[in-house]
């Protein structure tokens, strides 16, 4: 008897039956653009083997003007068909099914050739699109249908028509972006004409025995978005036009409400999809922040949808479904929704990976064959680097001993898990504990490895991490000056008027911690979270924007952040999440002072100079978040041990800009060399 009867139930689509209800949602990985099609095939085949019922590729352009970027992958030629055939053959060989997403970016195209219903520039692109004329519209529809036909020719089992997230089709649907007065604008009937023409023409191009998913924006989260009546009208019409599945889109890319970040509650939008259940006869898929089989099962059992779409969880663990089916859900590497190695990479033009699983999209370059000879390996430090190194070395057949001075594993991850909105890090710690218990790693907790412990080991991995940097500001020895680790670990209580020194990732985390009263955890309380961000009910509020806007709880204390660098705070934060932290803190009244020179800390507060003027911020607590220094006292062992047998990883190697993503990747690479 499975714990996930709804998730593991097959879904009959008529001409094909899906083995379960887990759809791997579309992700732009950048793999196609490498031109290494064997690598693309390996990525998808691994997820097919791992049990995803149906996968959707990253967005593929139907024509150059619809591409998200010049040169982005597409389905525009016979050559494209030949490339994609290599992918579909690998997936079918692994027993899987895969649909190609056809994505026309419209005004979101990062190109001067962008086209749109109206010539209105989007706030997230520098390019003003060209308004399409009648012939231009016909060309776009024909190109999308031709791309669908090529998808079939390439061996795909279906297509997903991207009709949400504010892309081209979505742009026609709402007045926010469609100001036309011809037959493609004005009334809703006219505005939905293009998306419906696309569905009809795609169905005609691919024939009846082919999956056609229409991704429909159920809650736009932008002004003048669709009303709920319009969503239902479109859903029914898309079904009549030939869609075989409706997938859920949440929020436009330009929306100023987070929709998938780690601070968004799990299954935060399943209630929106549920509203559509019963309105159409075809299966409906829900998505966003579903990252465990338990949540997927709950959502399906409650009748929120017929299927769940999970995207990033399949980066973190390709075997998500297989492990759930085997009763090993606790062994699924969790997606913590951090975006650090996936979406942040995409938006920096880097290949996607995963913080938790650096092998994602790197399956062919980080292969882990069994070790040629089993060795004894000591790993010192059970933070992210040490944990990853120990587990990887163990998997390869080495005899690993992991030393940790603290009574618990986790290192800096334990501090991260205490930040409101970062609770997912707890799941990562639990997963590491489960993996260690299931491994052959000998764990020595509460045991600071001394030099004399280590010579007997063939290989030594030093993963001793970092300590908070003392920036040398006069007065850091006073009781009101504390470092971030003391505050976040609970060793000291927060003050009432607090100065945060440093505007990096940790400064922001500390400010979030201080800006929430105990028990104020919007990421664990969906109604509080909706209030905080102004998410309304689309039944009453067009586009799902709550009248009155965001209503965050005020911070329980006065907080001011400081940095020496002039200009914007949070410049080093993640590309896709920095704006969320800035908005959230500003909304809670946190002040930010950039371009300061620190003069000293005294019982009166923090003295600093700004614009030639000396000021005192009368703080009763000053939290220092001024970066870190490596803890590398064991590094000298490299000189006395046999050459090449001692490896420093993570913060112990270099503390500058170190984060869990870099630490884990380095650790895995070292473990593969041993
Ligand atoms: P960081 O991002 O490098 O920031 C260090 C901060 O300390 C800067 O704001 C810097 O600002 C200040 N600083 C540096 N030296 C100083 C000195 N001598 N005196 C006073 N201020 C000084 O490092 P972090 O905040 O410690 O974070 C560590 C790593 O974890 C980073 O890679 C970070 O991106 C990552 N992380 C990310 C997140 C996230 O994205 N949400 C959260 C946590 C951690 P000024 O030099 O301008 O004063
Ligand atoms: Fe999930 Fe973070 Fe991995 Fe992206 S990088 S898949 S958000 S854990």
């Amino acid at each position: 008897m499975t714990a996930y009867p709804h998730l593991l139930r097959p879904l009959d689509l008529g001409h094909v039956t899906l083995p379960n209800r887990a759809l791997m949602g579309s992700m732009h990985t950048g793999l196609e653009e490498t031109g290494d099609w064997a690598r693309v095939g390996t990525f998808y085949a691994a997820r097919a083997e791992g049990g995803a019922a149906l996968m959707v590729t990253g967005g593929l352009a139907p024509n150059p003007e619809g591409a998200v970027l010049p040169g982005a992958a597409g389905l525009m030629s016979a050559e494209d068909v030949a490339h994609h055939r290599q992918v579909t053959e690998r997936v079918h060989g692994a027993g899987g099914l895969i649909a190609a997403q056809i994505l026309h970016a419209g005004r979101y195209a990062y190109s001067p050739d962008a086209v749109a219903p109206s010539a209105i520039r989007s706030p997230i692109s520098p390019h003003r699109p060209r308004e399409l004329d009648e012939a231009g519209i016909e060309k776009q529809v024909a190109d999308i249908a031709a791309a669908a036909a090529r998808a079939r020719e390439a061996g795909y089992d279906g297509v997903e028509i991207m009709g949400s997230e504010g892309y081209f089709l979505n742009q026609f649907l709402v007045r926010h972006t469609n100001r036309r007065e011809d037959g493609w604008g004005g009334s809703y009937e006219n505005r939905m004409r293009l998306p419906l023409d696309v569905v009809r023409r795609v169905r005609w191009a691919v024939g009846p025995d082919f999956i056609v998913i229409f991704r429909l924006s159920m809650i736009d989260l932008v002004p003048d978005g669709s009303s709920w009546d319009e969503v239902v009208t479109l859903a029914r019409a898309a079904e009549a036009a030939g869609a075989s599945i409706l997938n859920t889109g949440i929020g436009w890319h330009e929306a100023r409400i987070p929709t998938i970040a780690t601070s968004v509650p799990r299954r935060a939008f399943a209630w929106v999809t549920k509203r559509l259940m019963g309105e159409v006869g075809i299966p409906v898929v829900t998505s966003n922040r579903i990252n465990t089989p338990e949540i997927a099962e709950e959502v399906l059992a409650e009748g929120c949808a017929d299927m769940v779409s999970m995207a990033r969880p399949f980066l973190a663990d390709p075997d998500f479904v297989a492990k759930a089916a085997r009763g090993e859900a606790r062994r699924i590497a969790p997606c913590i929704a951090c975006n650090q190695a996936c979406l942040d990479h995409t938006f920096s033009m880097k290949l996607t990976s995963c913080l938790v699983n650096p092998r994602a999209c790197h399956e062919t370059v980080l292969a882990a064959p069994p070790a040629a000879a089993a060795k004894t390996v000591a790993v010192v430090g059970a933070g992210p680097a040490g944990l990853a190194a120990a587990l990887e070395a163990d998997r390869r057949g080495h005899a690993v001993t992991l030393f940790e001075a603290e009574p618990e594993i986790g290192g800096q991850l334990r501090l991260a898990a205490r930040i409101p909105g970062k609770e997912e890090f707890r799941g990562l710690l639990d997963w590491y504990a489960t993996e260690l218990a299931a491994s052959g790693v000998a764990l020595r907790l509460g045991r600071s490895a001394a030099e004399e412990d280590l010579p007997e080991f063939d290989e030594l991995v030093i993963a001793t991490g970092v300590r908070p940097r003392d920036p040398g500001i006069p007065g850091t020895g006073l009781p009101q000056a504390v470092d971030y680790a003391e505050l976040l670990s609970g060793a000291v209580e927060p003050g009432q008027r607090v100065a945060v020194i440093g505007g990096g990732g940790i400064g922001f985390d500390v400010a979030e911690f201080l800006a929430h009263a105990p028990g104020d955890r919007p990421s664990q309380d969906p109604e509080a979270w909706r209030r905080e961000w102004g998410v309304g009910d689309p039944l009453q509020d067009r586009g799902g924007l709550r009248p009155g806007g965001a209503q965050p709880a005020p911070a329980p204390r006065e907080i001011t952040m400081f940095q020496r660098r002039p200009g914007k705070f949070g410049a080093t934060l993640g590309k896709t999440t920095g704006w969320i932290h800035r908005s959230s803190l500003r909304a809670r009244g946190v002040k930010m002072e950039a371009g300061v020179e620190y003069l000293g800390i005294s019982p009166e507060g923090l003295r600093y100079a700004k614009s030639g003027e000396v000021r005192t911020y009368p703080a009763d607590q000053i939290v220092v978040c001024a970066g870190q220094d490596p803890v590398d006292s064991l590094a000298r062992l490299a000189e006395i041990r046999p050459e090449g047998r001692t490896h420093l990883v993570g913060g112990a190697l270099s503390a500058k800009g170190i984060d869990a993503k870099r630490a884990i990747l380095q650790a895995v690479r070292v473990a593969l060399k041993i």
Side-chain angles (χ1 to χ4, degrees):
M1 174 64 185
T2 171
Y4 314 109
H6 295 85
L7 177 62
L8 300 176
R9 196 154 51 121
L11 179 65
D12 184 1
L13 294 178
H15 72 283
V16 64
T17 298
L18 305 182
N20 59 63
R21 306 299 178 107
L23 178 103
M24 178 171 125
S26 175
M27 284 176 282
H28 187 82
T29 61
L31 276 176
E32 288 84 354
E33 285 80 5
T34 64
D36 185 347
W37 292 91
R39 184 169 175 177
V40 185
T42 304
F43 169 76
Y44 285 112
R47 274 85 196 152
E49 275 163 19
L54 173 64
M55 298 178 291
V56 182
T57 66
L60 300 170
N63 56 24
E65 62 269 33
V68 281
L69 283 172
L75 270 169
M76 300 183 234
S77 66
E79 200 187 354
D80 286 340
V81 171
H83 291 149
H84 284 277
R85 200 170 281 130
Q86 296 179 51
V87 177
T88 57
E89 279 169 3
R90 290 289 306 278
V91 169
H92 294 154
L97 294 167
I98 184 162
Q101 187 189 71
I102 302 177
L103 167 66
H104 191 307
R107 73 177 193 151
Y108 280 169
Y110 207 81
S111 149
D113 299 327
V115 295
S118 302
I120 308 167
R121 192 175 68 78
S122 97
I124 57 171
S125 164
H127 303 288
R128 190 173 138 100
R130 175 169 60 81
E131 178 172 319
L132 286 163
D133 61 14
E134 195 73 31
I137 289 177
E138 166 52 29
K139 177 182 183 299
Q140 307 312 311
V141 177
D143 286 350
I144 294 172
R150 284 188 202 101
R152 180 164 190 146
E153 206 187 327
Y156 282 106
D157 304 285
V159 287
E160 176 170 87
I161 301 169
M162 183 37 139
S164 61
E165 260 66 15
Y167 287 114
F168 184 60
L169 273 59
N170 214 175
Q171 291 159 23
F172 269 83
L173 284 168
V174 300
R175 290 201 165 91
H176 181 64
T177 40
N178 182 348
R179 307 277 166 81
R180 300 178 75 97
E181 290 173 356
D182 60 4
W184 303 96
S187 68
Y188 191 63
E189 205 183 339
N190 283 354
R191 282 181 276 133
M192 70 174 181
R193 210 175 125 201
L194 178 124
L196 291 178
D197 271 7
V198 165
V199 177
R200 224 174 274 120
R201 296 268 286 274
V202 164
R203 173 55 76 197
W204 185 84
V206 296
D209 55 344
F210 199 70
I211 299 167
V212 175
I213 307 167
F214 183 72
R215 182 124 177 237
L216 191 156
S217 182
M218 294 204 195
I219 181 166
D220 292 328
L221 302 176
V222 291
D224 239 351
S226 291
S227 70
W228 186 250
D229 271 357
E230 290 168 350
V231 168
V232 174
T233 304
L234 176 64
R236 290 183 180 147
E239 177 180 13
S244 31
I245 293 178
L246 289 178
N247 195 358
T248 299
I250 303 289
W252 288 36
H253 285 317
E254 68 201 63
R256 292 293 87 184
I257 293 171
T259 55
I260 61 167
T262 193
S263 55
V264 175
R266 287 176 171 182
R267 56 165 295 187
F269 294 96
W271 62 278
V272 180
T273 313
K274 189 176 185 186
R275 286 264 159 78
L276 199 63
M277 292 294 279
E279 301 282 5
V280 289
I282 52 177
V284 175
V285 185
T286 192
S287 75
N288 289 48
R289 290 290 284 117
I290 296 168
N291 65 343
T292 67
E294 287 75 19
I295 298 288
E297 177 66 19
E298 190 180 287
V299 160
L300 292 166
E302 287 173 18
C304 298
D306 301 292
M307 258 188 118
V308 291
S309 170
M310 293 172 281
R312 297 170 297 169
F314 283 101
L315 291 178
D317 199 330
D319 297 323
F320 184 102
V321 177
K323 287 181 182 173
R326 288 201 298 266
E328 293 180 352
R330 291 183 64 226
R331 301 206 55 188
I332 296 172
C335 167
I336 55 173
C338 64
N339 285 357
Q340 280 175 250
C342 52
L343 275 175
D344 284 347
H345 278 207
T346 306
F347 284 94
S348 316
M349 311 292 286
K350 286 197 263 179
L351 207 56
T352 287
S353 184
C354 171
L355 176 145
V356 174
N357 170 26
R359 201 159 275 126
C361 299
H362 294 68
E363 286 79 6
T364 54
V365 288
L366 286 177
K375 296 180 183 172
T376 56
V377 180
V379 179
V380 185
L387 289 164
L391 288 169
E392 194 69 40
D394 171 75
R395 276 183 216 117
R396 296 193 56 230
H398 296 303
V400 182
T401 304
L402 175 58
F403 295 91
E404 169 54 54
E406 296 288 322
E408 282 177 81
I409 63 164
Q412 299 275 309
L413 292 176
R414 283 194 287 130
L415 298 182
R418 297 183 57 106
I419 311 295
K422 282 196 158 180
E423 292 80 1
E424 289 286 357
F425 280 78
R426 189 70 249 166
L428 181 56
L429 285 167
D430 291 345
W431 176 73
Y432 274 125
T434 305
E435 289 304 291
L436 279 181
S439 74
V441 174
L443 179 61
R444 302 270 181 271
L445 282 177
R447 177 85 161 71
S448 191
E451 287 187 17
E452 55 275 18
D453 292 329
L454 303 169
E456 68 192 64
F457 291 92
D458 296 331
E459 302 271 348
L460 170 61
V461 179
I462 299 171
T464 36
V466 293
R467 68 168 70 83
R469 177 190 294 147
D470 178 352
I473 300 168
T476 45
L478 290 173
Q480 55 269 62
V482 300
D483 66 49
Y484 67 83
E486 291 171 299
L487 180 75
L488 296 178
S489 64
V492 294
E493 287 296 313
Q496 268 316 299
R497 185 181 283 155
V498 186
V500 177
I501 290 186
I506 292 179
F508 269 80
D509 276 358
V510 162
E512 288 279 8
F513 180 81
L514 292 166
H516 289 73
D520 176 14
R521 295 253 166 186
S523 58
Q524 311 297 300
D525 176 351
E527 176 45 38
W529 180 84
R530 289 195 289 273
R531 219 174 25 249
E532 166 138 27
W533 286 97
V535 178
D537 185 338
L539 262 188
Q540 296 109 45
D541 311 325
R542 186 173 270 280
L545 291 186
R546 190 183 281 235
Q551 287 161 1
R557 53 185 60 83
E558 193 184 306
I559 305 155
T560 303
M561 298 175 72
F562 294 86
Q563 70 177 23
R564 295 170 306 175
R565 191 180 331 172
K568 191 165 104 173
F569 262 75
T572 56
L573 298 181
K575 271 207 177 258
T576 61
T577 51
W579 68 271
I580 302 172
H581 294 297
R582 276 191 296 271
S583 310
S584 144
L585 292 182
R586 289 229 162 86
R588 283 174 177 257
V590 175
K591 297 191 186 67
M592 300 183 193
E593 286 272 18
V596 303
E597 183 196 342
Y598 302 112
L599 300 176
I601 295 166
S602 70
E604 282 71 50
L606 175 67
R607 237 161 58 85
Y608 63 98
K610 182 166 173 172
S611 311
E613 192 191 314
V614 173
R615 304 177 193 176
T616 298
Y617 178 63
D620 57 17
Q621 186 173 62
I622 293 98
V623 187
V624 178
C625 314
Q628 290 100 11
D629 292 322
V631 177
D632 56 2
S633 53
L634 293 175
R636 58 170 228 95
L637 287 178
E639 286 153 32
I640 51 176
R641 284 174 48 83
E643 204 180 330
R645 298 283 183 88
T646 305
H647 317 268
L648 268 84
V649 293
L653 175 65
S654 164
K656 192 171 163 40
I658 190 66
D659 60 7
K661 179 182 77 167
R662 198 174 90 203
I664 292 171
L665 174 61
Q666 273 176 5
V668 167
R669 285 202 174 125
V670 160
L672 293 182
K673 278 199 307 198
I674 290 175

